[in-house]
């Protein structure tokens, strides 16, 4: 049974992963749609501004905090190996670390970096073409990281029940 500080750790993991899922869902459901409704040059400039603004303590505490909590939960789970909830805990950790953190690092950030290179050339046809591709690919990967974060949160909740 999960109890004491371990219980609190898993509750915080569930909450942080759920909060991350909410951020990802917000981007997929209305932020990117709003940016996509802008002319390409303005959409590119706005998304580049969002990407710069995202690197702030509040977002990093949510996004990286969830990753740290998942890593700690995984280590503690391997050490304690509880009688119940082990599979759910390790699955939740894997879902967030690979599906949210990993996808961000391997898919979303490289696309953000490529978009940032268009700064100053937002009005060209090639930039407009890339903006269309960027939106489609970035949102697709964002759906994956949102779903993974939500599934991780649900997995932690299941481990506690």
């Amino acid at each position: 049974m999960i109890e004491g500080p371990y219980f609190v750790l898993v509750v915080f993991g569930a909450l942080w992963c759920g909060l991350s899922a909410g951020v990802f869902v917000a981007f997929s459901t209305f932020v990117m749609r709003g940016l996509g409704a802008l002319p390409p040059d303005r959409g590119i400039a706005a998304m580049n501004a969002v990407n710069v603004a995202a690197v702030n303590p509040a977002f990093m505490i949510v996004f990286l905090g969830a990753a740290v909590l998942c890593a700690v939960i995984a280590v503690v789970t391997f050490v304690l190996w509880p009688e119940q909830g082990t599979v759910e805990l390790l699955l939740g950790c894997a879902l967030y670390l690979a599906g949210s953190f990993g996808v961000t690092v391997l898919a979303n950030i490289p696309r953000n970096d490529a978009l940032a290179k268009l700064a100053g050339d937002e009005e060209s046809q090639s930039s407009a073409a890339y903006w269309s591709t960027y939106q489609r690919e970035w949102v697709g990967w964002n759906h994956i990281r949102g779903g993974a974060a939500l599934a991780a949160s649900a997995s932690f909740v299941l481990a506690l029940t």
Side-chain angles (χ1 to χ4, degrees):
M1 177 150 196
I2 300 168
E3 55 191 18
Y6 189 29
F7 178 86
V8 173
L9 182 67
V10 175
V11 167
F12 276 118
L15 292 172
W16 252 251
C17 289
L19 185 57
S20 292
V23 171
F24 297 140
V25 167
F27 259 84
S28 286
T29 59
F30 61 86
V31 172
M32 291 304 290
R33 286 183 188 197
L35 296 178
L38 296 172
D41 60 324
R42 290 179 50 207
I44 292 167
M47 187 63 186
N48 278 330
V50 168
N51 288 334
V52 170
V55 183
N56 70 68
F59 178 69
M60 289 299 128
I61 286 170
V62 172
F63 179 67
L64 295 177
V68 169
L69 282 167
C70 288
V72 170
I73 291 168
V75 169
V76 172
T77 300
F78 276 115
V79 170
L80 296 180
W81 205 262
E83 291 180 25
Q84 297 175 347
T86 303
V87 171
E88 292 88 349
L89 291 168
L90 294 176
L91 178 62
C93 294
L95 282 165
Y96 189 84
L97 291 171
S100 291
F101 185 79
V103 166
T104 298
V105 170
L106 297 174
N108 293 88
I109 290 175
R111 283 165 177 76
N112 292 345
D113 292 344
L115 192 70
K117 290 178 183 172
L118 300 181
D121 190 35
E122 293 94 346
E123 294 183 16
S124 73
Q125 282 188 316
S126 61
S127 292
Y130 181 71
W131 176 238
S132 177
T133 301
Y134 172 89
Q135 289 178 83
R136 185 181 66 256
E137 292 176 353
W138 194 95
V139 169
W141 286 111
N142 195 58
H143 287 334
I144 291 169
R145 50 186 198 163
L150 184 60
S153 182
S155 190
F156 290 148
V157 169
L158 288 174
L160 295 172
T161 58

